[in-house]
Amino acid sequence: MTLAAGPDAATLCAMLHDARARTLALARDLSGEQLLGPRLSIVNPPLWEIGHLGWFQEHWCLRYEGDGRLRPSMLAHADDFYNSATVPHATRWDLPLPDFDATLGYLQRVLDRVLERIDREGATEHLRYFAQLAAFHEEMHCEAFTYTRQTLGYAAPDRGRQAGAAANAGAWPGDVEIPGGEFMLGAAPDTGFVFDNEKWAHAVEVRPFCMARAPVTNVEFAAFVDDEGYRRRELWSDAGWQWREQTGAHAPVYWQKRDGEWLQRHYDTVVPIPPHHPVIHVNCYEAEAYCRWAGRRLPTEAEWEFAAATTPGLAGCKRRHPWGDAAPSARHANLFGVVGACADVAAFAEGDSGWGCRQMFGNVWEWTADWFGPYPGFEADPYKEYSAPWFGDHKVLRGGCFATRAGLLRTTWRNFYTPDRRDVFAGFRTCAPVPPSDGAPASREQGSRLRDAAVREPGAATLSAGATSVSGVTPPEGAPVPPSGVAL
C-alpha cells in the first residue's frame, strides 16, 4: 500500500466531497419502503448501503491504526450493523438500523472528521492511501446503487449532460488486427493508487488476434435472439445451459417483445431499444453463447489490456487510458456525468485505443473469458476482503460503464462478477483468429450476413416503439452472491 506520490490534501478532500455528493443525489428521493426494498441476493437494502459508506470511511480513515488496532466508532453498534465482512447479506434487511435522517447525520459527522484530519495532518502517506480507498469505495457503491435503481424499477438518476452526437453516431463494425507479443500485464509500482488484484505487472505472451472495433450492439444481439439463440443447446456451455434452464431466460433480462417489436425496461419506463447502443444487462453465459453463434469468442483479460493499453510498435509502453495519458473527458468516453445512459457504439472517437478499438472505456463493462484470480506474488492490501475471497468463481470485466467515475479507471483496472449476473451494466466485444494470409478480410463476425438476414426476415422483431410507464417490475435472476462484485 506504499504510495511514493499522489494527490495533495485539497485533491483528497475534493474526491471525498464529490463521492458524497453523488451518494446523496442517488439517495435523496428515496423514502418509505424504497429505503429497504425487496430482499434480493443481488442488491443491498439502500438504507444499509448508505450507512455502510459512512462505516467504511470511518473504519479506514479515522479508526484504523497501522498495526491493525481499531479505535472505537462514533456510532454505537456500527460494526454489528455495517461490517460487510461479518454481517451476512441476507440479514441486512432485519437489522435495527438508524433511520434515514440519523444515517445521513452519521455520514456527515464522519466526513467532517476526516476532512478535519486531512486539514490538520496534510496528505500523509497513511491518509493519502486510505482517503483514496474510501472515495473509490464510495464511488463503486454509487455505481452499484445505480444498478439497484434499475433492478428495482426506481426512477432514473439525473442523466448528466446529454450528448446528441453520441446518441446518433450509429454503428462501428469491423475488426482490428493486433499482432500480439510480450507485454507486462498489470500495474507497475510507480502508477499511484492501485488495488491489490492489479499488482504487479508481469510478462505475458499474447498471440496475434482480431478484436471488434466496438462492443456488440442491440441490433446484432437481437438477431441472435430471433435466431432461437436461447433455445439452441449447442451454443451454450454446460453451466450456461443450466443457468438458462433454471431461469427460463429467452432474451436479455429487461427486454420484452410487444407486437413483434423488442422493447426494454429502462429504470421505471419501457422504451424502444436503440439499435446501435451496446447490448447491456447480459451475463457472461449469454455473451459466450452469442460468440459461439457468431463464430467468435470473448477476449482474454491479457488481450483486452493489450488492445487498450499498448500501441503499434510500442508493446512495452503502456498507456494509462486507451487514448493516452490525458485525463478522461466527455470527448473520450461515456463515463459518469457524460450521457447518463448508453450511447451509440460509434461515438467518442477521440477515445480510440492505439489499435483503433472504440469505447474500451465507458458505455458498458466488457466481459472477458478469464476467471478472476491473483497475479503472481499476490499479497492482500489492508482491505483484505476486496479481492481474495472472490478468486476462482468470478469472471473479469474490463473498461467501466456510463455510471463509472472517470477517476477510478485505468487500463489495468479489474472488475469482477459471477458469470450469472445480469444486473450489472455489462456487455461485451468479440475476438477472432487473425484471418489467413491469402485471404478473406476479417469481418466483425463470421455470422454477420446471417444476422443481417435475420433482422430483415419477415416476422423478425424490430427495435422501435414508444415509451410507456412500467408496472409489475420483475427483478433479474441472480445467485446468492455479494451485492457488488467490487464494492463490499
Side-chain angles (χ1 to χ4, degrees):
M1 57 161 278
T2 300
L3 295 181
D8 59 17
T11 303
L12 291 177
C13 292
M15 292 170 66
L16 294 167
H17 273 300
D18 288 347
R20 184 54 47 80
R22 186 179 178 190
T23 297
L24 297 178
L26 284 164
R28 64 189 172 201
D29 65 333
L30 302 182
S31 61
E33 293 182 357
Q34 290 180 318
L35 287 168
L36 286 180
R39 194 183 299 260
L40 298 174
S41 63
I42 57 173
V43 300
N44 278 309
L47 183 62
W48 181 92
E49 190 156 16
I50 296 164
H52 168 75
L53 296 176
W55 174 87
F56 189 94
Q57 189 176 98
E58 184 191 21
H59 180 98
W60 293 112
C61 296
L62 298 176
R63 301 174 60 197
Y64 178 76
E65 304 281 1
D67 59 6
R69 290 178 299 151
L70 281 179
R71 297 172 182 169
S73 173
M74 66 179 71
L75 178 70
H77 309 297
D79 295 332
D80 297 330
F81 292 156
Y82 300 122
N83 186 345
S84 58
T86 59
V87 178
H89 179 262
T91 69
R92 295 172 187 175
W93 282 262
D94 304 319
L95 298 168
L97 299 172
D99 65 22
F100 188 50
D101 289 340
T103 301
L104 295 182
Y106 171 53
L107 263 66
Q108 188 60 52
R109 292 194 303 276
V110 170
L111 179 59
D112 289 343
R113 289 272 301 277
V114 173
L115 297 175
E116 290 168 4
R117 184 176 182 187
I118 294 173
D119 184 61
R120 182 174 64 251
E121 299 178 19
T124 63
E125 182 178 342
H126 180 94
L127 280 175
R128 198 163 57 231
Y129 179 84
F130 288 109
Q132 287 185 90
L133 175 66
F136 293 149
H137 171 266
E138 187 155 350
E139 292 287 1
M140 288 188 283
H141 268 281
C142 285
E143 182 175 327
F145 204 171
T146 309
Y147 303 167
T148 297
R149 294 185 73 109
Q150 166 68 27
T151 299
L152 301 183
Y154 294 172
D158 291 341
R159 290 175 60 93
R161 300 185 297 277
Q162 296 302 297
N168 301 300
W172 195 241
D175 280 356
V176 297
E177 188 173 320
I178 301 176
E182 184 177 287
F183 91 116
M184 301 297 287
L185 175 67
D190 59 354
T191 50
F193 185 100
V194 296
F195 285 100
D196 54 12
N197 63 59
E198 300 172 71
K199 302 175 184 177
W200 290 113
H202 56 288
V204 299
E205 185 72 25
V206 175
R207 296 179 61 83
F209 66 104
C210 290
M211 177 176 273
R213 295 200 295 170
V216 171
T217 63
N218 283 321
V219 70
E220 291 170 332
F221 200 86
F224 161 73
V225 178
D226 291 333
D227 195 41
E228 303 293 328
Y230 278 79
R231 293 176 172 84
R232 291 167 58 180
R233 173 65 182 87
E234 72 273 14
L235 299 177
W236 296 78
S237 66
D238 290 344
W241 188 250
Q242 181 180 26
W243 167 82
R244 199 214 65 78
E245 288 200 311
Q246 288 174 346
T247 61
H250 61 278
V253 63
Y254 298 120
W255 286 25
Q256 55 185 266
K257 188 177 285 188
R258 185 178 301 167
D259 299 327
E261 298 176 336
W262 282 116
L263 311 174
Q264 67 180 353
R265 178 170 69 75
H266 181 71
Y267 296 101
D268 59 349
T269 59
V270 175
V271 298
I273 294 180
H276 303 306
H277 283 193
V279 66
I280 190 172
H281 297 298
V282 289
N283 66 25
C284 195
Y285 299 136
E286 293 167 291
E288 291 170 342
Y290 174 93
C291 287
R292 290 188 185 92
W293 174 80
R296 306 278 288 190
R297 62 173 175 81
L298 292 176
T300 66
E301 190 175 11
E303 287 171 335
W304 192 99
E305 190 169 314
F306 193 102
T310 68
T311 56
L314 294 171
C317 183
K318 290 175 64 174
R319 294 173 165 183
R320 183 173 179 83
H321 309 115
W323 56 87
D325 293 331
S329 74
R331 302 189 318 275
H332 295 116
N334 182 20
L335 296 166
F336 169 70
V338 176
V339 177
C342 285
D344 278 359
V345 296
F348 304 99
E350 290 187 51
D352 283 4
S353 77
W355 298 100
C357 291
R358 188 157 298 177
Q359 295 182 8
M360 298 202 82
F361 272 15
N363 236 8
V364 290
W365 286 101
E366 297 182 11
W367 290 104
T368 72
D370 289 333
W371 293 101
F372 181 52
Y375 286 161
F378 172 82
E379 293 182 6
D381 281 342
Y383 179 22
K384 297 183 185 302
E385 296 81 16
Y386 180 74
S387 301
W390 320 119
F391 289 154
D393 62 356
H394 287 51
K395 287 281 190 175
V396 175
L397 303 90
R398 293 295 197 107
C401 70
F402 67 82
T404 305
R405 177 77 75 172
L408 279 169
L409 291 178
R410 51 199 162 267
T411 51
T412 60
W413 171 278
R414 308 169 77 197
N415 199 352
F416 46 96
Y417 283 96
T418 51
D420 60 326
R421 291 288 292 269
R422 307 171 92 191
D423 57 311
V424 183
F425 292 169
F428 62 102
R429 75 177 68 216
T430 64
C431 285
V434 172
S437 57
D438 59 358
S443 63
R444 167 65 183 276
E445 267 80 349
Q446 292 177 7
S448 59
R449 287 190 296 275
L450 170 63
R451 287 198 314 281
D452 290 344
V455 171
R456 293 192 299 269
E457 190 175 301
T462 57
L463 300 181
S464 63
T468 60
S469 235
V470 72
S471 62
V473 169
T474 301
E477 306 86 2
V481 293
S484 169
V486 295
L488 299 174

